[in-house]
Amino acid sequence: MNFEFQNPTKIIFGAGTLARLGEVVSEYGKKAMIVTGGGSVKRTGAFDKAVESLKSAGISHVECADVEPNPRITSVARGAKIAKDEGCDVIIALGGGSTMDAAKVMGAAALYDGNPWDMILHGQEEVYIPTETLPVITVPTLAATGSEANCGAVITNDETKIKSFIQIPLLFPKVALVDPELTVSVPQNHTAYGVCDIITHVMEGYFNGVDGTPIQDRFAEGVIINAIEYGRKAVANGEDLEARAHVQWASIVALNGWVQAGVHMLAPMHMIEHALSAHHDITHGAGLAIVGPAWMRFAAKYRPERFAQFAQRVFNLSPEGKDALTLGMEGIDTYEAFLREIGCPTTLSEVNIGDELFEQYAKDAALVVRDEDGKLLGRPPMTTEDIVEVLKNAL
């Protein structure tokens, strides 16, 4: 367990904290670019409240609107140009994971004269590693990605159909202003997809990390258990602010690096899902609900004891009279049943994806995070044939 851990993002958490936005931003600049998505923040009134808080602190603003789900590199470039042309000195991400991811890369791209796609890992010989960025303040309106308090961003190139990432300490937001009240208007389906995203973030390290991390195992199991308990409640009643707050906190903890410290996480489920959503633009959490159980059934054959532990500790399933693989598979079935219960798709057919491009998805999934033999990194490492097998099992 040799590792380094540092997360410099300041988290201000609690209902009503959006009112403090102006106070927070004033520490970093006087002219903000507010990055938003498809318009929900205006329909709910969150945008107006944010602007009011900025005005009260003497901060002017411009907007970069219409960032897509699965944000495009073209939107990143557009936002960077707005920030440059308008002389913005701070960026506010007001929205879900896509908005926050795009805003982080916009911050670095605003101070770079080249193509921002240079920063995103996509198999190129030379990756541009930015050394400066505009300060970014995140205000999440969805509990899912945990992007508000980590240094990663996932971006799609619509031309090449490649969806990949950048993850460097420079991209840590300065402050995450986390107001669970902003999530009460999220519809049931996207609430459910967010819960799946949270759980999968933790599962990636739990199933693909190194051995001998018992404290991290318990952290991971605790996050999953709470995401299931309060995720059910948030899906059933979106106005349950207590449930919303607990799911929001689980989202942050799931991917701010704390649960993964010392685990050296790999993320094959995410890599496979990225290949799917790059081609079909499905919601990330929905894609993970499809890929997750199918990948788990593949991986359980190689680490049955780990999956048996998951079944016992997370779902309290009895090991009596069962070998490790049988128990592990029972745990996977129980998890998949939970996903269906809260309204997630669990098969590719539900999102109208067939098997025509399976080979291409497999190649795309293994494009970046691979070993010297070209296998997608994970436990176990996966050949393109293995990835195709998982996709077939997800049909």
Side-chain angles (χ1 to χ4, degrees):
M1 276 180 56
N2 295 339
F3 65 93
E4 296 181 12
F5 173 79
Q6 181 185 21
N7 187 324
T9 300
K10 179 179 181 179
I11 298 171
I12 301 174
F13 188 100
T17 54
L18 179 60
R20 295 181 57 186
L21 181 62
E23 164 202 337
V24 169
V25 173
S26 65
E27 296 181 31
Y28 299 96
K30 297 300 290 182
K31 186 171 185 179
M33 181 175 73
I34 306 177
V35 183
T36 62
S40 63
V41 294
K42 292 183 178 176
R43 293 191 295 273
T44 62
F47 184 84
D48 289 341
K49 290 178 182 177
V51 169
E52 181 183 348
S53 182
L54 293 175
K55 284 182 177 177
S56 68
I59 297 165
S60 62
H61 77 278
V62 297
E63 185 184 1
C64 174
D66 300 319
V67 170
E68 312 87 350
N70 302 311
R72 310 297 198 268
I73 195 64
T74 49
S75 289
V76 170
R78 174 171 59 88
K81 186 176 188 303
I82 293 171
K84 285 179 187 177
D85 292 349
E86 297 289 342
C88 297
D89 51 11
V90 60
I91 294 178
I92 300 166
L94 178 63
S98 295
T99 299
M100 292 186 286
D101 281 9
K104 291 182 201 175
V105 186
M106 287 175 190
L111 302 178
Y112 176 53
D113 291 330
N115 185 341
W117 189 243
D118 298 343
M119 306 177 190
I120 309 301
L121 298 174
H122 58 274
Q124 70 270 50
E125 287 187 12
E126 291 188 20
V127 180
Y128 173 72
I129 307 297
T131 57
E132 55 182 347
T133 183
L134 295 177
V136 175
I137 312 298
T138 52
V139 186
T141 60
L142 175 69
T145 69
S147 188
E148 58 266 34
N150 66 47
C151 65
V154 177
I155 306 295
T156 297
N157 188 315
D158 212 27
E159 266 187 45
T160 62
K161 301 298 182 187
I162 296 297
K163 179 178 178 180
S164 192
F165 66 95
I166 177 174
Q167 186 170 356
I168 57 171
L170 181 75
L171 297 192
F172 275 113
K174 295 296 184 183
V175 180
L177 193 66
V178 186
D179 185 341
E181 286 185 344
L182 300 181
T183 69
V184 297
S185 61
V186 176
Q188 280 185 319
N189 60 339
H190 284 282
T191 300
Y193 303 158
V195 170
C196 178
D197 199 3
I198 293 165
I199 292 171
T200 309
H201 286 154
V202 176
M203 282 183 174
E204 294 280 30
Y206 187 83
F207 291 123
N208 292 289
V210 300
D211 295 325
T213 57
I215 292 177
Q216 304 312 108
D217 287 356
R218 293 295 191 180
F219 282 164
E221 292 153 1
V223 173
I224 295 169
I225 289 166
N226 277 273
I228 290 172
E229 177 181 352
Y230 291 101
R232 276 194 176 107
K233 294 178 180 180
V235 169
N237 177 12
E239 296 185 0
D240 184 339
L241 188 57
E242 180 187 26
R244 291 289 193 182
H246 289 313
V247 173
Q248 186 83 60
W249 183 234
S251 172
I252 294 171
V253 173
L255 205 60
N256 71 347
W258 184 241
V259 173
Q260 292 82 18
V263 170
H264 306 294
M265 181 180 85
L266 301 168
M269 287 180 274
H270 275 71
M271 295 301 102
I272 297 170
E273 193 288 325
H274 288 174
L276 291 173
S277 55
H279 283 266
H280 299 281
D281 208 25
I282 58 175
T283 302
H284 177 57
L288 290 174
I290 295 165
V291 171
W295 176 86
M296 292 167 76
R297 291 187 177 100
F298 169 83
K301 295 178 289 185
Y302 297 87
R303 298 187 75 197
E305 293 79 11
R306 176 57 117 189
F307 284 84
Q309 175 179 295
F310 170 80
Q312 283 186 269
R313 293 185 180 179
V314 173
F315 293 112
N316 295 314
L317 298 180
S318 171
E320 190 172 345
K322 304 165 190 170
D323 61 26
L325 182 58
T326 300
L327 179 58
M329 290 295 187
E330 187 179 340
I332 297 166
D333 290 343
T334 306
Y335 171 58
E336 186 177 50
F338 163 73
L339 294 176
R340 288 196 297 268
E341 173 196 335
I342 62 173
C344 291
T346 56
T347 63
L348 289 169
S349 59
E350 291 173 76
V351 293
N352 299 313
I353 297 176
D355 62 1
E356 298 84 2
L357 296 175
F358 277 5
E359 292 285 346
Q360 186 63 54
Y361 306 149
K363 290 175 184 176
D364 291 351
L367 181 65
V368 176
V369 186
R370 58 188 179 186
D371 64 17
E372 59 187 14
D373 296 322
K375 294 180 181 178
L376 174 63
L377 289 175
R379 293 191 70 176
M382 301 177 73
T383 64
T384 54
E385 291 79 13
D386 293 332
I387 299 170
V388 168
E389 178 186 334
V390 167
L391 292 168
K392 286 180 178 177
N393 288 338
L395 278 170

